Amino acid sequence: MAETLQNFINGRFVAAHGQETIEIVNPSDGKVVAISPVSDEQDVDAAFEAAAAAAKTWNRTTPGERQDALLKLADALQEHKDELVEAQHRNTGQPRAQIGSEEVDAGTDNLRFFAGAARTLEGRAATEYMSEHTSYIRREPVGVVAQVAPWNYPLLMGIWKIGPALAAGNTIVLKPSDTTPESTLVLARLAGEILPPGVLNVVLGNATTGELLTTHRVPGMVSITGSVRAGQAVARSASEGLKRTHLELGGKAPALVFADADLERAAEQLVQYGTFNAGQDCTAVTRILVEKSVEEKFVKLLAEQAKKTVTGDADESKNDFGPLNNVRHFEDVRTKLENIPAHATVVAGGKPVEGTDGFFVEPTVITGMHQDDALVQEETFGPVLTVQTFSSEEEAVELANDVLYALASSVWTSDHGTAMRVSRDLDFGCVWVNTHMLLVSEMPHGGFKHSGYGKDLSLYSVEEYTRVKHVMHSLEA
């Protein structure tokens, strides 16, 4: 019998008041693994009440105390690594090795970075900008923050939310995705053994629950990682209460491959970075722009690499990537693949994997795409790479920038000048050169345009969760 999940509020698990429920399905085989409540207004009120009460003391803790708590939480993640991996695998079907390395280990590193960052926030120098008056800056926590995490990397995205917020001294009400809550609940339980009650609260539910969080009177800031549509809804609702927002939304990342690049290496890595996590990554390579003189050779290399990439095997350890997360998303990607325009050619993949009950889609490469095609302009969020050509550096940049998204991109060339010019001209929050998708705790992650605003990771993300106060002292008695 599937377990019924509970909210984590004020340091303990509690049953939700909401009567509606959601079946949590393992996308590898379509089986129900848990039942999640849909939290209602009473549940959300209780979570924010706990967070507001805890803020009175947590925001007065020293940076050193917050650092100690985050380091303990990082250690707890490693101690419970197997449990976290299994909890997430049940909800995502991701290969266990991927969850262990890319979420538990990476999340541990992130928390350790945020622990150090808690002690490094700076302000302007205290001095007399006006005669006989000394001014200085206080960088303070926002207070209580509402956070909504996505389903593509449930544990890691939860850590990207709570790490900087806790480091800055905030308390939190977090809602994980309605399809992938279990690893977040394990994280909450571990945090509850370290943090004071009410500092981190987790409420389960659907989009309606998320709206209750973002429109609630208590939080001073709302942070979401999700779709453009969800981000726009959050921005609208938060504006009613003049709440600060932090939006990390979609992506349509181009890879610009010049003729002088190492084509074999580029093809291998671009297929890997385009299909990793089944392409369910806002930074995943989705659009390959290749110099026309090497198009035929490069497309052949891409197709060969895609055909060697494995998914849908009953032994998940053999898979290079797992299934799409849920049946709605699976049907959406399948529909897009069934409606490829007539002028395009599928050179690899192009359909769901046969002979499985899971939501697996073949690694797909499509050539002959036009700039106004939906697969070029709209986020697919699946293991699908489109190919276009360019004849000049200027055309490559123009095609790359001509979408609404602006999160990530990459340049593949052996020429230093080309790399420098194109990196300057690409309108994306991150540009990689001769690599793609790699992230480090010390560097910011975030985009422009319809990819949202605000930065995850790095000191910039901790600053997002602070407010700046000017204090001036008269030197006269």
Side-chain angles (χ1 to χ4, degrees), residues 151-153 276-282 284 323-326 329 381-383:
W151 46 254
N152 57 335
Y153 297 103
F276 184 80
N277 202 35
Q280 300 170 127
D281 189 310
C282 296
L324 298 182
N325 178 257
N326 57 78
H329 183 48
F381 225 55

Side-chain angles (χ1 to χ4, degrees), residues 20 22 36-39 175-178 204-211:
E20 186 181 349
I22 301 169
S36 172
V38 176
S39 297
K175 190 194 85 66
S177 167
D178 55 352
L204 306 178
N206 55 18
T208 301
T209 308
E211 185 176 0

Side-chain angles (χ1 to χ4, degrees), residues 400-442:
N401 289 342
D402 184 28
V403 293
L404 291 174
Y405 300 96
L407 180 61
S409 59
S410 59
V411 184
W412 300 76
T413 179
S414 61
D415 185 84
H416 177 71
T418 300
M420 293 294 288
R421 288 190 303 274
V422 175
S423 298
R424 175 197 63 195
D425 294 340
L426 284 172
D427 189 20
F428 294 85
C430 180
V431 181
W432 288 282
V433 178
N434 294 326
T435 189
H436 197 101
M437 202 188 273
L438 303 181
L439 300 171
V440 292
S441 297
E442 295 83 356

Side-chain angles (χ1 to χ4, degrees), residues 36-170:
S36 172
V38 176
S39 297
D40 63 13
E41 188 172 358
Q42 187 174 352
D43 300 311
V44 173
D45 282 344
F48 278 117
E49 181 180 347
K56 295 177 182 177
T57 52
W58 179 251
N59 65 17
R60 298 294 179 90
T61 54
T62 66
E65 290 170 327
R66 298 196 292 273
Q67 178 190 51
D68 183 57
L70 287 170
L71 289 174
K72 289 179 179 177
L73 183 56
D75 290 343
L77 257 65
Q78 286 299 305
E79 293 167 8
H80 295 266
K81 182 175 180 176
D82 291 344
E83 180 184 5
L84 286 161
V85 167
E86 288 303 318
Q88 183 150 311
H89 178 73
R90 285 194 297 271
N91 293 179
T92 66
Q94 296 163 305
R96 289 177 173 86
Q98 175 193 320
I99 300 170
S101 63
E102 302 302 321
E103 303 216 30
V104 181
D105 291 348
T108 299
D109 181 75
N110 295 156
L111 284 174
R112 288 173 176 157
F113 170 81
F114 290 128
R119 302 183 74 159
T120 61
L121 290 176
E122 298 177 347
R124 291 179 181 270
T127 191
E128 288 70 50
Y129 296 100
M130 178 179 287
S131 178
E132 298 304 311
H133 293 78
T134 299
S135 289
Y136 62 91
I137 293 294
R138 286 182 56 86
R139 189 175 284 278
E140 302 175 340
V142 173
V144 178
V145 297
Q147 300 180 323
V148 179
W151 46 254
N152 57 335
Y153 297 103
L155 178 64
L156 188 66
M157 296 298 96
I159 289 170
W160 283 17
K161 295 292 182 202
I162 71 170
L166 293 174
N170 299 282

Side-chain angles (χ1 to χ4, degrees), residues 8 105 122 178 214 217 219 266 327 347 365 373 388 471-472:
F8 189 81
D105 291 348
E122 298 177 347
D178 55 352
T214 60
R217 67 188 183 282
V327 67
V347 297
V365 179
D373 288 337
Q388 298 167 266
V471 180
M472 178 183 281

Side-chain angles (χ1 to χ4, degrees), residues 238-460:
S239 68
E240 293 296 320
L242 295 179
K243 295 179 174 66
R244 292 169 57 176
T245 54
H246 177 283
L247 309 177
E248 201 277 273
L249 309 177
K252 198 66 183 172
L256 285 63
V257 182
F258 288 84
D260 61 0
D262 182 337
L263 298 182
E264 289 78 8
R265 177 177 176 273
E268 178 183 357
Q269 295 205 8
L270 289 176
V271 171
Q272 176 187 343
Y273 295 135
T275 62
F276 184 80
N277 202 35
Q280 300 170 127
D281 189 310
C282 296
T283 66
V285 179
T286 61
R287 299 182 292 141
I288 295 178
L289 306 174
V290 59
E291 194 162 359
K292 192 168 185 59
S293 62
V294 294
E295 176 193 12
E296 184 177 352
K297 177 180 180 181
F298 195 63
V299 167
K300 182 179 179 181
L301 291 169
L302 288 172
E304 291 172 350
Q305 190 63 38
K307 290 171 184 176
K308 290 192 296 186
T309 303
V310 178
T311 190
D313 197 293
D315 180 357
E316 56 88 20
S317 67
K318 296 180 180 179
N319 290 328
D320 292 299
F321 63 88
L324 298 182
N325 178 257
N326 57 78
V327 67
R328 295 187 305 277
H329 183 48
F330 174 71
E331 292 298 338
D332 179 61
V333 173
R334 176 159 63 182
T335 298
K336 289 175 179 175
L337 291 176
E338 289 173 348
N339 290 280
I340 294 171
H343 55 257
T345 301
V346 177
V347 297
K351 62 184 186 301
V353 176
E354 297 177 353
T356 173
D357 294 326
F359 309 140
F360 296 92
V361 171
E362 296 174 342
T364 298
V365 179
I366 307 170
T367 66
M369 300 301 297
H370 295 174
Q371 185 66 13
D372 59 355
D373 288 337
L375 281 175
V376 171
Q377 292 293 326
E378 300 171 7
E379 190 170 35
T380 306
F381 225 55
V384 180
L385 294 85
T386 63
V387 181
Q388 298 167 266
T389 62
F390 63 85
S391 299
S392 67
E393 186 177 305
E394 293 74 20
E395 183 185 13
V397 171
E398 180 179 357
L399 291 171
N401 289 342
D402 184 28
V403 293
L404 291 174
Y405 300 96
L407 180 61
S409 59
S410 59
V411 184
W412 300 76
T413 179
S414 61
D415 185 84
H416 177 71
T418 300
M420 293 294 288
R421 288 190 303 274
V422 175
S423 298
R424 175 197 63 195
D425 294 340
L426 284 172
D427 189 20
F428 294 85
C430 180
V431 181
W432 288 282
V433 178
N434 294 326
T435 189
H436 197 101
M437 202 188 273
L438 303 181
L439 300 171
V440 292
S441 297
E442 295 83 356
M443 288 289 111
H445 172 73
F448 315 134
K449 294 163 47 177
H450 277 211
S451 292
Y453 47 81
K455 298 298 182 184
D456 291 319
L457 300 175
S458 80
L459 271 174
Y460 294 102

